[in-house]
Amino acid sequence: MIFDKMSRAASYYDLNPGITKALEFLQSEEATALKPGKYALKGEQMFVLVQEYDSRPLDAGVWEAHLRYIDVQYVTSGTELMGVSPIDRMEVSQAYDEKLDYALYSGDGSFFELSEGFFTILAPQDVHMACISVQDSLPVRKLVVKVALDWQ
């Protein structure tokens, strides 16, 4: 798991060419102009989900992880809590759904504030819980780029 301010994104360009493309896209004017929805950036190898929602209470959150994609999540407005835990500290509560690329988990993790201008990179071993209210439910706009593990 990586957590940082988007102004320092170039520090992570050497991790993976797909992550580089995702971070470059998230910094583009094209990304900021998108309406909510799903947009292909490179077919199913890389796509972005533009989300607008109200953050929710902790008891409404779910722990999840993905096996086919790395998440690059970037908040463009608002603030939410993001939970994260190593997968080996969690218990599977719903088996992996290959079509939807997620499994659900139970257990405990650590939380941090993901606020406007910050991003996080979550790999398959990073079980995460997103969209959680810091205190009161507030509007959040977030872009999530899904980068296939076999990105080429």
Side-chain angles (χ1 to χ4, degrees), residues 78-131:
T79 300
E80 67 180 39
L81 286 179
M82 173 69 71
V84 67
S85 179
I87 200 166
D88 57 357
R89 291 188 183 171
M90 304 294 271
E91 302 244 349
V92 175
S93 61
Q94 183 176 317
Y96 179 71
D97 182 321
E98 188 173 333
K99 182 178 178 187
L100 298 175
D101 186 41
Y102 75 85
L104 298 182
Y105 294 82
S106 60
D108 294 315
S110 300
F111 288 82
F112 61 93
E113 284 188 26
L114 187 60
S115 56
E116 183 175 336
F118 284 81
F119 71 95
T120 187
I121 300 172
L122 301 158
Q125 69 270 15
D126 301 320
V127 177
H128 53 283
M129 180 188 293
C131 311

XYZ file of all heavy atoms in Angstrom, residues 78-131:
418
model
N -13.416 16.285 -1.248
C -13.917 15.611 -0.064
C -12.829 14.873 0.689
O -11.644 14.954 0.345
N -13.247 14.145 1.695
C -12.343 13.355 2.536
C -13.075 12.099 2.985
O -14.259 12.153 3.303
C -11.903 14.148 3.782
O -11.218 15.330 3.372
C -10.967 13.343 4.666
N -12.361 10.997 3.017
C -12.918 9.751 3.547
C -11.840 9.043 4.356
O -10.651 9.371 4.247
C -13.398 8.841 2.416
C -12.288 8.294 1.539
C -12.801 7.383 0.430
O -13.852 7.670 -0.164
O -12.129 6.379 0.164
N -12.271 8.097 5.146
C -11.326 7.205 5.805
C -11.121 6.000 4.897
O -12.076 5.487 4.308
C -11.842 6.732 7.161
C -11.834 7.734 8.295
C -12.401 7.091 9.564
C -10.442 8.276 8.553
N -9.887 5.564 4.803
C -9.530 4.371 4.053
C -8.904 3.394 5.040
O -7.952 3.736 5.747
C -8.516 4.713 2.954
C -7.941 3.529 2.224
S -9.110 2.643 1.176
C -9.354 3.814 -0.129
N -9.468 2.204 5.100
C -8.909 1.159 5.939
C -8.040 0.243 5.110
O -8.301 0.031 3.926
N -7.005 -0.305 5.721
C -6.118 -1.234 5.017
C -5.577 -2.250 6.012
O -5.381 -1.942 7.192
C -4.977 -0.482 4.277
C -4.022 0.173 5.247
C -4.259 -1.378 3.301
N -5.380 -3.475 5.510
C -4.822 -4.541 6.332
C -4.125 -5.544 5.422
O -4.615 -5.814 4.318
C -5.929 -5.247 7.113
O -5.387 -6.298 7.891
N -3.021 -6.128 5.862
C -2.418 -7.210 5.075
C -3.400 -8.378 4.981
O -4.079 -8.717 5.957
C -1.179 -7.607 5.886
C -0.912 -6.444 6.792
C -2.245 -5.824 7.067
N -3.459 -8.980 3.823
C -4.428 -10.041 3.573
C -4.263 -11.220 4.533
O -5.248 -11.857 4.904
C -4.376 -10.488 2.093
C -5.669 -11.201 1.708
C -3.127 -11.321 1.803
C -5.852 -11.366 0.212
N -3.043 -11.482 4.976
C -2.831 -12.634 5.858
C -3.306 -12.389 7.293
O -3.284 -13.296 8.119
C -1.372 -13.091 5.835
C -0.381 -12.025 6.206
O -0.776 -10.861 6.437
O 0.823 -12.338 6.273
N -3.779 -11.194 7.588
C -4.357 -10.898 8.910
C -5.892 -10.929 8.887
O -6.525 -10.657 9.903
C -3.911 -9.523 9.388
C -2.456 -9.453 9.719
C -2.134 -8.135 10.356
N -0.718 -8.028 10.615
C -0.124 -6.922 11.002
N -0.824 -5.824 11.189
N 1.168 -6.907 11.218
N -6.460 -11.219 7.730
C -7.909 -11.170 7.563
C -8.459 -12.565 7.292
O -7.728 -13.462 6.885
C -8.274 -10.242 6.407
C -7.727 -8.824 6.537
S -8.431 -7.921 7.910
C -9.841 -7.190 7.109
N -9.761 -12.735 7.509
C -10.457 -13.989 7.222
C -11.411 -13.758 6.059
O -12.121 -12.740 6.034
C -11.263 -14.431 8.434
C -10.426 -14.616 9.671
C -10.413 -16.042 10.147
O -11.205 -16.854 9.646
O -9.591 -16.329 11.023
N -11.443 -14.671 5.116
C -12.368 -14.557 3.987
C -13.793 -14.734 4.504
O -14.097 -15.699 5.190
C -12.060 -15.620 2.903
C -13.104 -15.573 1.794
C -10.664 -15.420 2.333
N -14.664 -13.762 4.188
C -16.073 -13.865 4.577
C -16.968 -14.132 3.366
O -18.087 -14.601 3.524
C -16.534 -12.597 5.304
O -16.420 -11.473 4.466
N -16.458 -13.819 2.188
C -17.155 -14.163 0.940
C -16.091 -14.510 -0.083
O -15.200 -13.711 -0.355
C -18.004 -12.992 0.442
C -18.801 -13.316 -0.812
C -19.704 -12.158 -1.222
O -20.353 -11.539 -0.395
N -19.724 -11.878 -2.507
N -16.195 -15.699 -0.647
C -15.183 -16.194 -1.586
C -15.017 -15.261 -2.781
O -15.922 -14.502 -3.134
C -15.561 -17.596 -2.061
N -13.860 -15.362 -3.389
C -13.512 -14.541 -4.550
C -14.513 -14.751 -5.681
O -14.829 -15.874 -6.053
C -12.096 -14.899 -5.016
C -11.644 -14.136 -6.233
C -11.349 -12.781 -6.152
C -11.509 -14.765 -7.462
C -10.923 -12.072 -7.264
C -11.086 -14.066 -8.577
C -10.794 -12.722 -8.468
O -10.385 -12.028 -9.577
N -14.995 -13.641 -6.224
C -15.882 -13.632 -7.388
C -15.033 -13.228 -8.583
O -14.648 -12.056 -8.704
C -17.028 -12.639 -7.167
C -18.016 -12.604 -8.310
O -17.610 -12.684 -9.487
O -19.221 -12.470 -8.033
N -14.719 -14.181 -9.444
C -13.822 -13.914 -10.568
C -14.382 -12.863 -11.518
O -13.638 -12.011 -12.013
C -13.538 -15.212 -11.327
C -12.462 -15.054 -12.376
C -12.060 -16.367 -12.995
O -12.181 -17.413 -12.341
O -11.609 -16.326 -14.156
N -15.674 -12.906 -11.762
C -16.285 -11.947 -12.687
C -16.167 -10.517 -12.166
O -15.881 -9.591 -12.915
C -17.744 -12.310 -12.928
C -18.437 -11.408 -13.915
C -19.865 -11.830 -14.166
C -20.534 -10.866 -15.139
N -21.949 -11.129 -15.280
N -16.390 -10.314 -10.874
C -16.358 -8.977 -10.283
C -14.994 -8.621 -9.676
O -14.792 -7.501 -9.220
C -17.455 -8.845 -9.225
C -18.880 -9.016 -9.764
C -19.888 -9.000 -8.617
C -19.204 -7.952 -10.799
N -14.081 -9.571 -9.652
C -12.722 -9.389 -9.140
C -12.687 -8.846 -7.710
O -12.068 -7.822 -7.432
C -11.877 -8.502 -10.055
C -10.425 -8.430 -9.582
O -9.877 -9.471 -9.164
O -9.835 -7.330 -9.610
N -13.346 -9.550 -6.811
C -13.184 -9.205 -5.403
C -13.583 -10.374 -4.512
O -14.361 -11.234 -4.898
C -13.964 -7.940 -5.015
C -15.459 -8.135 -4.883
C -16.022 -8.600 -3.704
C -16.304 -7.830 -5.944
C -17.386 -8.782 -3.581
C -17.671 -8.005 -5.830
C -18.208 -8.479 -4.648
O -19.551 -8.657 -4.530
N -12.989 -10.368 -3.336
C -13.398 -11.231 -2.235
C -13.643 -10.303 -1.059
O -13.038 -9.226 -0.963
C -12.318 -12.252 -1.893
N -14.524 -10.702 -0.163
C -14.792 -9.921 1.037
C -14.127 -10.581 2.236
O -13.957 -11.800 2.271
C -16.300 -9.793 1.260
C -17.072 -9.075 0.159
C -18.550 -8.981 0.530
C -16.503 -7.702 -0.143
N -13.777 -9.754 3.213
C -13.015 -10.223 4.368
C -13.605 -9.682 5.659
O -14.336 -8.695 5.662
C -11.557 -9.759 4.249
C -10.834 -10.387 3.095
C -10.968 -9.872 1.809
C -10.051 -11.515 3.273
C -10.330 -10.471 0.730
C -9.416 -12.118 2.207
C -9.555 -11.589 0.940
O -8.934 -12.188 -0.121
N -13.235 -10.298 6.772
C -13.539 -9.767 8.091
C -12.236 -9.695 8.865
O -11.297 -10.444 8.602
C -14.570 -10.639 8.813
O -14.073 -11.948 8.970
N -12.201 -8.785 9.808
C -11.002 -8.578 10.606
C -10.838 -7.103 10.908
O -11.767 -6.309 10.728
N -9.661 -6.735 11.356
C -9.369 -5.353 11.726
C -8.233 -4.816 10.887
O -7.360 -5.569 10.442
C -8.983 -5.262 13.203
C -10.146 -5.615 14.112
O -11.264 -5.119 13.846
O -9.945 -6.383 15.068
N -8.243 -3.521 10.706
C -7.175 -2.865 9.963
C -6.903 -1.486 10.524
O -7.502 -1.071 11.520
N -6.013 -0.789 9.876
C -5.668 0.585 10.241
C -6.363 1.531 9.270
O -6.571 1.190 8.102
C -4.154 0.792 10.143
O -3.487 -0.096 11.007
N -6.673 2.740 9.735
C -7.373 3.723 8.908
C -6.554 5.001 8.784
O -5.844 5.378 9.716
C -8.741 4.050 9.515
C -9.733 2.926 9.368
C -9.739 1.870 10.255
C -10.633 2.921 8.311
C -10.649 0.832 10.123
C -11.537 1.880 8.156
C -11.544 0.832 9.063
N -6.667 5.643 7.625
C -6.051 6.946 7.399
C -7.013 7.795 6.581
O -7.913 7.277 5.926
C -4.690 6.805 6.700
C -4.739 6.155 5.342
C -4.850 6.920 4.185
C -4.676 4.767 5.212
C -4.900 6.316 2.934
C -4.715 4.159 3.962
C -4.828 4.939 2.815
N -6.820 9.121 6.644
C -7.672 10.034 5.878
C -7.136 10.159 4.464
O -5.976 10.505 4.258
C -7.718 11.413 6.538
C -8.590 11.457 7.755
C -8.799 12.866 8.291
O -8.702 13.845 7.519
O -9.064 12.973 9.501
N -8.000 9.869 3.519
C -7.698 10.053 2.097
C -8.496 11.274 1.679
O -9.717 11.208 1.537
C -8.094 8.809 1.306
C -7.699 8.759 -0.162
C -6.186 8.846 -0.335
C -8.225 7.492 -0.815
N -7.812 12.401 1.548
C -8.507 13.657 1.280
C -8.099 14.224 -0.071
O -7.214 13.691 -0.749
C -8.240 14.659 2.403
O -6.860 14.857 2.571
N -8.753 15.311 -0.437
C -8.535 15.945 -1.727
C -7.043 16.131 -2.015
O -6.300 16.641 -1.181
C -9.227 17.308 -1.743
C -9.137 18.018 -3.059
C -9.943 19.306 -3.062
O -10.899 19.436 -2.280
O -9.600 20.183 -3.874
N -6.628 15.652 -3.198
C -5.236 15.798 -3.608
C -4.341 14.639 -3.223
O -3.160 14.628 -3.565
N -4.883 13.631 -2.540
C -4.096 12.473 -2.119
C -4.544 11.216 -2.866
O -5.688 11.110 -3.282
C -4.220 12.247 -0.608
C -3.416 13.220 0.196
C -3.903 14.488 0.457
C -2.157 12.880 0.672
C -3.163 15.398 1.193
C -1.406 13.775 1.407
C -1.906 15.047 1.671
N -3.618 10.280 -2.995
C -3.916 9.012 -3.663
C -3.369 7.862 -2.833
O -2.516 8.045 -1.965
C -3.323 8.975 -5.082
C -1.821 8.868 -5.126
C -1.197 7.628 -5.249
C -1.028 9.999 -5.041
C 0.183 7.530 -5.284
C 0.358 9.910 -5.084
C 0.967 8.665 -5.208
N -3.875 6.683 -3.136
C -3.349 5.460 -2.551
C -3.263 4.407 -3.648
O -4.066 4.410 -4.584
C -4.205 4.975 -1.358
O -3.556 3.880 -0.737
C -5.607 4.595 -1.767
N -2.277 3.551 -3.548
C -2.102 2.421 -4.468
C -2.271 1.154 -3.642
O -1.573 0.967 -2.639
C -0.722 2.445 -5.147
C -0.545 3.740 -5.952
C -0.549 1.217 -6.047
C 0.857 3.946 -6.515
N -3.213 0.327 -4.063
C -3.550 -0.891 -3.320
C -3.335 -2.105 -4.210
O -3.948 -2.219 -5.275
C -5.007 -0.812 -2.858
C -5.314 0.383 -1.955
C -6.788 0.714 -1.977
C -4.824 0.110 -0.552
N -2.487 -3.011 -3.770
C -2.163 -4.237 -4.501
C -3.064 -5.374 -4.002
O -3.793 -5.208 -3.013
C -0.687 -4.577 -4.279
N -3.034 -6.527 -4.652
C -3.899 -7.642 -4.240
C -3.744 -8.067 -2.781
O -4.704 -8.536 -2.172
C -3.511 -8.764 -5.196
C -3.107 -8.046 -6.427
C -2.366 -6.826 -5.918
N -2.586 -7.888 -2.190
C -2.385 -8.287 -0.795
C -2.887 -7.233 0.191
O -2.837 -7.443 1.395
C -0.907 -8.596 -0.526
C 0.008 -7.398 -0.570
C 0.584 -7.100 -1.939
O 0.115 -7.609 -2.950
N 1.622 -6.281 -1.983
N -3.404 -6.103 -0.322
C -3.893 -5.017 0.516
C -5.415 -5.066 0.615
O -6.128 -4.540 -0.240
C -3.471 -3.661 -0.057
C -1.970 -3.512 -0.183
O -1.255 -3.960 0.736
O -1.513 -2.946 -1.194
N -5.922 -5.695 1.670
C -7.362 -5.682 1.904
C -7.703 -4.255 2.326
O -6.989 -3.651 3.125
C -7.753 -6.696 2.996
C -9.245 -6.627 3.287
C -7.355 -8.105 2.586
N -8.776 -3.707 1.753
C -9.095 -2.314 2.029
C -10.592 -2.087 2.217
O -11.411 -2.874 1.755
C -8.540 -1.400 0.937
C -8.936 -1.787 -0.455
N -8.355 -2.836 -1.136
C -9.876 -1.284 -1.287
C -8.911 -2.954 -2.329
N -9.853 -2.023 -2.452
N -10.886 -0.999 2.927
C -12.254 -0.556 3.155
C -12.282 0.931 2.822
O -11.586 1.724 3.456
C -12.672 -0.777 4.611
C -14.102 -0.321 4.900
S -14.547 -0.373 6.671
C -14.521 -2.127 7.005
N -13.072 1.309 1.812
C -13.115 2.694 1.343
C -14.454 3.333 1.684
O -15.379 2.675 2.156
C -12.882 2.720 -0.157
N -14.530 4.632 1.422
C -15.783 5.405 1.473
C -16.298 5.650 2.886
O -17.486 5.932 3.076
C -16.878 4.739 0.652
S -16.403 4.262 -1.009
